[in-house]
Amino acid sequence: MRFKVKKFLYPCGANDERKEMNLIIDEHFADAEINRHLVLAQMDKGKPISTPIYYLCIYLNYLDEHGLEAVDVKMSDIQDFLQEIYIDGLPYAGKGKPCSYAVIQDYIEALSKLYDNLTLRGYKMDESLYTRSQMMMLAPAKTRKKAHVLGRNEHLTMVHYLTYMFSPNQNDVPKSAYVKWYSAEQINAIADALPLVYRCIFLDTVYVGHRVGGALSLTLDSVDLYNGTVTPTKSKTGKIHTSYIPAPLIEDMRQYLIEVRRNIATDSNAFFIGRNGKSVTYQAYRMALESARITVNKKYGWNIEALHTHAGRSTFAAALRTYQLDCRRNGIPTFSDVDFCNLMDWKSLDSLKHYDLINRIHEISPLIKELYSNFDSVVEKNGNLINVDVERV
């Protein structure tokens, strides 16, 4: 993680006394813009603030994963962050479990105070963050209307109003206890229930193993449908590698480019775009999955309680792990656990324990088996292909 919370003795007061405060460091150096806000918030406190600062640290690390800085975000970016921790959770926030409604409100309050403070200090941010009153204050003099006096409890940015966008009824939120992966029948049914753009994103997580953020980061020049490879521009650990995609998904992506993307007026280089010509957002994908869940449950009489955005990736890992272990049991040369971690963009072998399927054999998707039985190279790391001798099945 790029950002961490650390205690400091900060000089303040007439006698230059040192006061203990929690501040955020950016790879060993204090982050000036954020910490000015945190210093002011703790100046008159009897003890250091803790929870809100950790929330801000989690938020900053999320932005860093998506190539964003705090002063460059749009309201949609903040909403995507809140939706993700509310519905799916983050591995470095609350032990990976989805946050409660009350915690989401605390996040919103912490973020609202941060952006209100940045506004007061003159930072220029995206227009979507400003309230109508603040936009009037920032407007050129010739178009400025009568001056507006800020009320005591009035906010300068729109972040505060996100509090009304989350349901306080936890029964409306997908449960955290869910099936970790899907069967081949469920994959096909869910894919058929999704619009083509979301179908391609979903199948990318299932058959290529990308995180949703990685799939959404694909650009036109990072997808090579002729050679059947994709290279995300973002990853959780910062390791970028090229992955192969099966032929059926190549055809779906070609169909999307011809029938959907070509008919949308846009100058965006993003591979997956919505009708507005902008990159598909996490929230839009999340809503599409929820609609598909309702559709397949009704059509097939299933009881899928939640379609979590990362479960497709888990399906890929489970099937690939089963294939790897099956090869080992039959004496067939296959890729190593290190290769597996490189492919899945995992930091350590510890992640494999969740997919140790020796006593819990998972159905191997025919597409995954075919894909990894016909390629000698399964992962590219730091620009060098790792060659794996896999016997043809």
Side-chain angles (χ1 to χ4, degrees):
M1 294 288 99
R2 171 182 167 185
F3 296 95
K4 296 181 180 179
V5 177
K6 187 177 180 180
K7 281 186 168 56
F8 288 87
L9 291 175
Y10 191 86
C12 59
N15 299 321
D16 200 26
E17 297 178 355
R18 295 184 177 272
K19 185 179 181 66
E20 187 178 68
M21 296 183 181
N22 280 323
L23 301 177
I24 295 176
I25 59 172
D26 177 359
E27 296 178 344
H28 309 298
F29 294 96
D31 188 277
E33 290 81 4
I34 303 299
N35 285 319
R36 285 195 186 98
H37 162 67
L38 298 180
V39 167
L40 291 174
Q42 298 176 91
M43 192 72 73
D44 299 325
K45 301 292 182 181
K47 59 181 181 179
I49 296 175
S50 57
T51 302
I53 296 180
Y54 281 98
Y55 287 168
L56 288 179
C57 187
I58 290 168
Y59 170 67
L60 293 176
N61 280 314
Y62 172 87
L63 293 183
D64 183 55
E65 284 185 359
H66 292 77
L68 296 169
E69 297 293 337
V71 295
D72 299 326
V73 302
K74 300 177 181 178
M75 277 291 288
S76 59
D77 297 320
I78 300 176
Q79 189 172 349
D80 281 350
F81 164 71
L82 295 171
Q83 289 279 3
E84 186 158 352
I85 61 174
Y86 189 47
I87 301 298
D88 290 329
L90 292 172
Y92 48 86
K95 298 181 179 179
K97 296 181 179 179
C99 295
S100 67
Y101 173 75
V103 170
I104 291 297
Q105 303 309 302
D106 291 340
Y107 267 100
I108 293 173
E109 182 179 2
L111 294 176
S112 180
K113 288 180 178 178
L114 169 65
Y115 283 104
D116 283 349
N117 189 277
L118 291 175
T119 299
L120 284 172
R121 284 163 43 206
Y123 280 90
K124 176 62 177 175
M125 294 177 289
D126 187 82
E127 290 185 358
S128 63
L129 266 68
Y130 294 123
T131 63
R132 178 175 175 273
S133 301
Q134 189 64 15
M135 284 299 294
M136 290 173 60
M137 297 293 290
L138 296 173
K142 63 180 181 180
T143 61
R144 187 179 300 166
K145 298 181 181 180
K146 184 178 179 180
H148 178 81
V149 179
L150 294 177
R152 176 179 297 180
N153 297 319
E154 187 172 350
H155 293 263
L156 301 178
T157 64
M158 295 291 291
V159 179
H160 171 74
Y161 297 103
L162 288 174
T163 188
Y164 302 110
M165 301 185 68
F166 293 85
S167 170
N169 183 0
Q170 289 294 299
N171 293 327
D172 295 338
V173 179
K175 297 181 180 180
S176 58
Y178 61 96
V179 177
K180 188 75 176 178
W181 35 69
Y182 311 122
S183 67
E185 181 184 12
Q186 289 173 327
I187 291 170
N188 293 332
I190 294 166
D192 289 342
L194 288 167
L196 189 54
V197 59
Y198 300 115
R199 169 190 173 92
C200 291
I201 297 170
F202 171 69
L203 292 180
D204 178 83
T205 67
V206 173
Y207 293 129
V208 186
H210 287 150
R211 294 179 177 86
V212 176
L216 296 182
S217 77
L218 293 177
T219 59
L220 290 173
D221 51 1
S222 69
V223 179
D224 183 352
L225 297 183
Y226 180 82
N227 293 305
T229 62
V230 290
T231 309
T233 59
K234 299 175 185 176
S235 73
K236 182 178 178 181
T237 61
K239 297 178 181 178
I240 303 297
H241 60 256
T242 297
S243 299
Y244 292 103
I245 51 179
L249 180 52
I250 294 175
E251 290 306 313
D252 281 337
M253 287 184 168
R254 282 177 179 161
Q255 184 182 4
Y256 156 73
L257 287 176
I258 296 171
E259 298 182 5
V260 180
R261 199 186 190 286
R262 189 173 65 178
N263 297 319
I264 299 175
T266 180
D267 58 358
S268 173
N269 190 40
F271 188 81
F272 295 115
I273 60 173
R275 294 178 181 177
N276 60 359
K278 298 181 180 179
S279 302
V280 171
T281 64
Y282 172 88
Q283 182 187 9
Y285 177 63
R286 169 65 250 168
M287 292 174 65
L289 277 187
E290 180 62 13
S291 178
R293 179 187 74 85
I294 295 172
T295 299
V296 297
N297 279 349
K298 183 177 180 179
K299 183 175 182 179
Y300 298 99
W302 295 338
N303 186 32
I304 299 177
E305 294 182 335
L307 289 185
H308 284 250
T309 57
H310 53 271
R313 173 178 160 84
S314 295
T315 299
F316 172 84
L320 192 59
R321 180 64 165 165
T322 300
Y323 170 73
Q324 179 199 37
L325 295 177
D326 186 57
C327 286
R328 288 179 179 176
R329 282 192 293 270
N330 290 285
I332 301 173
T334 186
F335 44 85
S336 68
D337 288 352
V338 173
D339 293 332
F340 198 157
C341 287
N342 287 334
L343 181 67
M344 295 303 298
D345 193 29
W346 288 336
K347 291 185 176 180
S348 71
L349 294 174
D350 291 341
S351 299
L352 277 172
K353 65 183 180 182
H354 301 295
Y355 301 94
D356 188 2
L357 307 177
I358 295 176
N359 299 316
R360 182 177 40 157
I361 299 300
H362 177 73
E363 172 188 7
I364 304 175
S365 166
L367 284 179
I368 292 178
K369 186 174 182 180
E370 178 184 0
L371 180 67
Y372 285 97
S373 297
N374 287 280
F375 282 113
D376 292 330
S377 302
V378 298
V379 66
E380 185 178 0
K381 180 184 177 186
N382 298 329
N384 298 315
L385 285 174
I386 297 176
N387 293 317
V388 184
D389 295 323
V390 182
E391 182 174 319
R392 299 292 188 264
V393 177

